[in-house]
Amino acid sequence: MAPAILGADVNGLNGFHPPTSKVNLDSTERIPKGHHPSISTTIPFRDITTNDHPAAFEPDTCNGNRHHLSAPANGLSKEPTRDHEQADSGISDCYRPAASATSTSINPTDDAHQTDSDIANGNIFEKTQNRKVDIGPHASIVVREWKLLRNSVTNVTPTYVDTDYLGVAKITAVSKHGMNVKIKDKAAATKRVNESVEFLAQRLADGRSLYGITTGFGGSADLRTLKVMDLQRALIQHQHSGILPIDKKAGSIHLSLGKAPGVNFMPEEWVRGTMLVRCKSLLAAHSAVRFEIIELIISLLNNDMIPLVPLRGSISASGDLQPLSYIAGVLEGNPDCYVWTNDGNLGRIIIPADVALEHLVQKSITFGPKEALAVLNGTAVSTAVAALAMQESHTLAIFSQVLTAMGVEALHGSTGSFNAFFDRVRPHRGQREAAANIRLFLTGSQLAHPEQEDEENRIGLKQDRYALRTSPQWIGPQLEDLALAHEQITVECNSTTDNPLIDIEGGAIHHGGNFQAASITSAMEKTRSCLQMFGRMLFSQCTELINPAMNNGLPPNLAADDPSTSYTMKGADINVAAYMSELAYLANPVSNHVQTAENGNQAINSLALVSARYTHMAIDCLSMICATYLYILCQALDIRAMDRGYLSAIGPAVNEITAHIFETALSDATNATALNQLQSKLLEQVVRQYSLTTSLDTSDRFSAIAEAVQSTLTTALYTDGSLPKQFDALSAIKRWTDQTSTTLHNLFLQHRQAYFTAPDATPYLGAASSRMYSYVRKDLQVPFHKGLADHPTKDNKLKTLGSNISIIHEAMRSGRLYDPVLLCLGAHP
């Protein structure tokens, strides 16, 4: 999706022109159909379907209302501009103030809500059907990027690097899913880039002295030489200073992971993205690089030969010099530069660059004037790593909203916190979107309190705590920041970022600073801050859910059995605090730690790659928080559902006991309604005490409930002056207490065992909770934790809590879990 700020002809701006013929680099396509054994081709979009062509998504703005498109991509309605508003360019197209919401309003309170008393009295209501609604601007970005990614992966669509607008989805398709990279019009691309080479050659022939071609580099630019080929080799040589594993034999690197706290080389997917972005920039023909260099990079990509690149060492000032130098080293066949390749047994091995080129039947590159500088001097590494971080950050933003809606249900929160009135009187764009999303997600909930509920009769807090109640106000600014970060990254993906730059049309060579990757730093600082904000909100919701003093009637640590001997989620509670602490630390900006480098020449430098790396670390932490919280939420929802089934059974049972003991005393015509009133009062107190005694073991809990209700029973009887004089009230109260205690206890054990046998919370859940709960329980086969009995042994083959959480986490990181997340938005026709 091209930001509108670039104008209509984005490709033309970068030197790309519409192709006149289709010439594919068949020689570079050695692995069929773009599938690579080392790269996952699992399609994380099982149910999300679209008939849209990828071109419908790009170039485009957030709402699909610019350039050549006449309608929003993927059929999602955009919000119309009011007559008196001037349409802004760029990100403002995504977020425009509105006097009133134009999207279809979803009001969960239109659906039947059941209180605990309703359940106990047998008042069961049906949920209404979900209604289709428009989604907000940030969600539109996420849905479109995922649909474009799905299209590429399912249809094995290559990326045409010379003509396609390069965005987050295409970088992800190539980097994570191994889609091929092609040149759509080889003749036109070759002609274009070779013109820049010839232009530079003519300037050198005229005796011009040019930076990095006849001069030294950076702070040594006062040096002069006519040995232009040696100068390019010297550039690569002095940048080959990174730290990598010494032993590069098969398996040695992976074995070393057990001895060290981390790795010192980049993940292959980062390097794949880097190679793609660098090719895009070089094909703009502002860099004076021969076409055969670009072609060799593409050949390496498509044959899954990925350079081994140091993880650290770039300050992203004059571009990402050091990491890119290792790609250049592979191109020149340096025997001390290495590539990852397939071992023939679905594994990966490392081989020297010269051997890799021999396998490809490719000649090594001897860099001509400026060519090594053009390969090294750019923001491709920072940009690719940032784009991959952006893809996951977007989905985490949607997931955080889904989890918040689930939290509202699990905590018996109120839907009123998300009323559209708040957005009308405080019309922040992101807040409006977040509130609308959560309202949608809560559609059909029988656990969340409805807006029209009589607050005077609500037991406990009159309003939810901040982690739920102010979530739209908390989430909203993050959605706005993520949309801006998305624009910054996609602009950078389609830019020329080296120096000097060749301007063929203007007949000039320009010296400047497009390599300064501060835009990427800015995008990553915002993104990382957003991740921390999501994490802090979810962490607060999670701790509230586990704490019996705050969770509105759930047991301590969400133990489904006796809380004195079962501490189910206590460890997870501690884990989430650890993840959150690290996430909060990572949210600190990197850009204020700049150090002067390279003879004082690079006195300001962006640290973009460092910031992008830290953003991936933040994604790791937030993903762990989300996976753990989802597991905890499903446990809480199961307990709520189990309680609802139990409460539906105790109403008739308690009423029968009350009638049996007091019916004779309250049977005359004067007291015709007295029995019904007494039954109602007692049942209400039983339900209330049930929620207040969750910290007691089963053996003690129900006698405590019955004894606590005695005061209500005593008051009711002794204030009724019409009781027969011969009626022994004290004896009746004792009988009622004993029978009620025994009945409540026995019914609880029966219903708990029945629920343990076939747990299913979906009848009570809203739209999003039902989908996510079903995915966890059915698709992932992560079960309801029944307590101490679920401790793994050799015989029961059960999993630890952490293993079950890890299953959810793996589904997140593979992308599979985001199918149901996006379906919660209605992201399908």
Side-chain angles (χ1 to χ4, degrees):
M1 293 176 288
I5 197 170
L6 290 180
D9 189 9
V10 180
N11 288 337
L13 201 119
N14 279 294
F16 303 123
H17 298 284
T20 56
S21 64
K22 297 181 179 179
V23 182
N24 295 331
L25 279 176
D26 294 330
S27 62
T28 67
E29 230 182 314
R30 308 234 173 222
I31 296 178
K33 297 186 179 180
H35 288 278
H36 305 279
S38 67
I39 299 175
S40 170
T41 54
T42 300
I43 300 173
F45 316 96
R46 296 168 302 150
D47 299 319
I48 302 174
T49 57
T50 175
N51 295 321
D52 295 323
H53 188 275
F57 301 113
E58 54 185 7
D60 195 4
T61 64
C62 300
N63 282 323
N65 57 342
R66 293 270 178 153
H67 311 320
H68 61 287
L69 299 180
S70 58
N74 75 4
L76 299 173
S77 302
K78 72 180 184 66
E79 185 176 67
T81 306
R82 293 177 302 191
D83 293 340
H84 66 276
E85 282 183 341
Q86 179 179 356
D88 299 323
S89 63
I91 205 64
S92 58
D93 281 337
C94 291
Y95 284 110
R96 184 178 297 119
S100 61
T102 59
S103 296
T104 304
S105 176
I106 285 292
N107 183 1
T109 63
D110 291 342
D111 298 302
H113 169 79
Q114 295 166 270
T115 66
D116 288 345
S117 294
D118 287 328
I119 297 294
N121 283 296
N123 298 324
I124 307 297
F125 308 125
E126 295 294 331
K127 291 194 292 185
T128 61
Q129 295 290 326
N130 294 352
R131 285 166 289 173
K132 187 175 181 180
V133 296
D134 297 336
I135 61 176
H138 173 264
S140 296
I141 294 174
V142 180
V143 169
R144 274 183 242 173
E145 289 290 339
W146 272 72
K147 284 191 173 182
L148 180 55
L149 178 56
R150 176 194 179 277
N151 187 293
S152 296
V153 175
T154 56
N155 298 325
V156 196
T157 305
T159 291
Y160 293 101
V161 70
D162 56 328
T163 57
D164 286 355
Y165 191 81
L166 200 59
V168 169
K170 288 189 177 294
I171 291 174
T172 303
V174 172
S175 300
K176 291 188 174 183
H177 300 281
M179 296 298 102
N180 270 334
V181 177
K182 292 185 178 181
I183 303 290
K184 189 171 234 181
D185 191 337
K186 183 175 180 179
T190 303
K191 178 177 181 296
R192 181 72 178 171
V193 298
N194 285 344
E195 283 178 354
S196 69
V197 174
E198 293 165 3
F199 182 90
L200 176 62
Q202 184 59 52
R203 286 300 182 98
L204 290 173
D206 293 342
R208 302 287 185 92
S209 178
L210 301 172
Y211 171 76
I213 302 168
T214 61
T215 75
F217 302 102
S220 301
D222 55 337
L223 303 177
R224 298 291 185 272
T225 182
L226 296 177
K227 299 177 181 179
V228 294
M229 307 288 275
D230 288 346
L231 188 64
Q232 298 304 298
R233 286 196 297 273
L235 172 62
I236 296 174
Q237 182 188 60
H238 84 256
Q239 286 296 328
H240 279 166
S241 55
I243 296 175
L244 287 168
I246 296 298
D247 188 357
K248 301 179 180 66
K249 294 179 182 178
S252 63
I253 289 181
H254 297 288
L255 289 174
S256 69
L257 296 181
K259 303 176 183 178
V263 297
N264 51 19
F265 54 89
M266 288 189 187
E268 288 187 65
E269 64 184 43
W270 292 9
V271 183
R272 292 180 63 83
T274 296
M275 297 164 78
L276 174 62
V277 174
R278 202 75 206 111
C279 286
K280 181 69 172 177
S281 179
L282 297 177
L283 280 166
H286 304 310
S287 306
V289 170
R290 286 168 292 159
F291 184 78
E292 64 189 77
I293 294 176
I294 302 169
E295 197 171 29
L296 181 53
I297 296 175
I298 294 174
S299 180
L300 288 166
L301 252 180
N302 290 342
N303 285 277
D304 205 14
M305 291 185 170
I306 309 302
L308 179 68
V309 175
L311 182 67
R312 297 178 177 86
S314 174
I315 58 175
S316 305
S318 188
D320 296 303
L321 294 168
Q322 182 242 53
L324 286 168
S325 75
Y326 284 81
I327 296 177
V330 170
L331 298 179
E332 66 174 2
N334 188 323
D336 199 33
C337 289
Y338 298 85
V339 301
W340 290 98
T341 189
N342 298 317
D343 65 359
N345 192 30
L346 299 180
R348 301 289 279 170
I349 58 173
I350 295 174
I351 61 174
D354 57 331
V355 176
L357 294 182
E358 289 175 5
H359 288 177
L360 286 179
V361 195
Q362 294 275 3
K363 293 181 180 179
S364 60
I365 295 293
T366 299
F367 290 106
K370 193 186 178 302
E371 288 183 327
L373 179 61
V375 173
L376 271 63
N377 188 207
T379 68
V381 186
S382 303
T383 302
V385 176
L388 292 171
M390 199 78 246
Q391 188 260 340
E392 289 197 74
S393 298
H394 279 321
T395 49
L396 283 168
I398 302 297
F399 194 28
S400 296
Q401 295 168 72
V402 171
L403 292 173
T404 296
M406 295 179 73
V408 172
E409 295 193 79
L411 283 163
H412 274 336
S414 173
T415 61
S417 304
F418 315 104
N419 191 295
F421 173 79
F422 294 114
D423 314 322
R424 290 198 296 271
V425 300
R426 190 181 189 238
H428 287 291
R429 304 129 182 189
Q431 174 183 326
R432 184 176 65 222
E433 176 175 354
N437 286 343
I438 296 172
R439 288 199 303 272
L440 171 64
F441 298 154
L442 287 170
T443 304
S445 173
Q446 295 183 31
L447 296 179
H449 287 282
E451 290 186 74
Q452 71 267 25
E453 183 180 55
D454 183 0
E455 291 189 0
E456 293 302 317
N457 294 326
R458 181 174 175 180
I459 299 173
L461 292 174
K462 297 301 181 185
Q463 55 185 8
D464 297 332
R465 296 180 179 89
Y466 283 16
L468 292 182
R469 178 157 48 97
T470 69
S471 55
Q473 292 80 4
W474 187 268
I475 294 169
Q478 318 319 318
L479 302 184
E480 296 174 25
D481 279 352
L482 287 175
L484 177 55
H486 182 90
E487 177 179 346
Q488 291 175 305
I489 290 170
T490 52
V491 168
E492 194 79 2
C493 288
N494 296 275
S495 299
T496 305
T497 58
D498 54 296
N499 179 64
L501 296 179
I502 311 298
D503 179 6
I504 299 174
E505 288 78 8
I509 297 179
H510 301 286
H511 295 80
N514 272 9
F515 48 67
Q516 185 71 273
S519 291
I520 296 298
T521 310
S522 173
M524 289 294 94
E525 309 280 67
K526 286 193 289 286
T527 299
R528 207 162 55 255
S529 175
C530 291
L531 297 176
Q532 185 276 146
M533 294 289 276
F534 294 140
R536 190 63 185 82
M537 176 188 69
L538 298 178
F539 169 69
S540 297
Q541 295 172 11
C542 186
T543 56
E544 186 175 336
L545 190 58
I546 296 171
N547 186 345
M550 305 173 73
N551 63 19
N552 289 335
L554 289 168
N557 306 304
L558 301 181
D561 54 348
D562 287 344
S564 68
T565 55
S566 185
Y567 300 86
T568 308
M569 296 301 173
K570 185 174 285 293
D573 190 13
I574 298 169
N575 300 152
V576 172
Y579 306 147
M580 185 60 232
S581 297
E582 186 174 355
L583 176 58
Y585 175 80
L586 290 168
N588 285 294
V590 171
S591 55
N592 56 1
H593 294 281
V594 168
Q595 307 297 320
T596 297
E598 201 264 300
N599 293 347
N601 178 53
Q602 297 180 10
I604 59 172
N605 44 80
S606 70
L607 299 180
L609 180 55
V610 176
S611 190
R613 287 197 297 107
Y614 282 11
T615 304
H616 278 273
M617 294 170 66
I619 288 169
D620 290 342
C621 292
L622 181 56
S623 296
M624 291 179 181
I625 291 173
C626 290
T628 306
Y629 187 32
L630 178 57
Y631 182 71
I632 290 170
L633 281 164
C634 289
Q635 178 78 5
L637 293 172
D638 267 319
I639 293 174
R640 291 289 190 204
M642 185 170 66
D643 286 348
R644 284 302 178 96
Y646 173 64
L647 291 173
S648 68
I650 68 172
V654 172
N655 287 341
E656 183 178 349
I657 294 171
T658 305
H660 176 71
I661 295 175
F662 298 104
E663 187 172 26
T664 303
L666 302 174
S667 61
D668 59 77
T670 306
N671 294 322
T673 63
L675 179 61
N676 290 336
Q677 292 175 350
L678 180 62
Q679 288 174 322
S680 178
K681 289 178 182 179
L682 295 179
L683 183 58
E684 181 180 346
Q685 287 304 309
V686 167
V687 170
R688 183 173 185 273
Q689 290 299 320
Y690 180 75
S691 69
L692 296 176
T693 55
T694 57
S695 295
L696 297 178
D697 287 351
T698 306
S699 58
D700 303 321
R701 183 178 187 183
F702 299 99
S703 58
I705 292 174
E707 289 169 4
V709 180
Q710 278 185 353
S711 61
T712 300
L713 178 55
T714 302
T715 301
L717 293 178
Y718 282 97
T719 55
D720 192 332
S722 61
L723 285 175
K725 292 182 179 180
Q726 69 276 16
F727 182 73
D728 188 350
L730 291 178
S731 175
I733 291 172
K734 185 178 186 306
R735 292 201 314 276
W736 184 93
T737 302
D738 292 342
Q739 291 181 29
T740 299
S741 173
T742 301
T743 301
L744 291 176
H745 179 267
N746 292 340
L747 282 174
F748 180 81
L749 293 179
Q750 293 170 17
H751 279 268
R752 185 174 69 177
Q753 185 56 45
Y755 195 87
F756 280 3
T757 303
D760 182 15
T762 55
Y764 307 101
L765 304 182
S769 293
S770 179
R771 190 179 297 280
M772 298 309 302
Y773 172 90
S774 296
Y775 181 78
V776 171
R777 294 289 185 249
K778 295 178 182 179
D779 293 61
L780 298 182
Q781 293 292 298
V782 172
F784 174 40
H785 195 276
K786 297 186 285 293
L788 195 59
D790 279 353
H791 188 68
T793 66
K794 182 179 179 180
D795 296 328
N796 62 26
K797 308 296 184 183
L798 296 173
K799 298 182 182 298
T800 63
L801 293 160
S803 291
N804 283 318
I805 295 170
S806 297
I807 292 171
I808 298 174
H809 181 258
E810 176 58 32
M812 287 182 61
R813 300 315 300 267
S814 69
R816 291 179 292 126
L817 181 137
Y818 293 118
D819 279 357
V821 169
L822 292 180
L823 287 169
C824 291
L825 282 170
H828 56 88

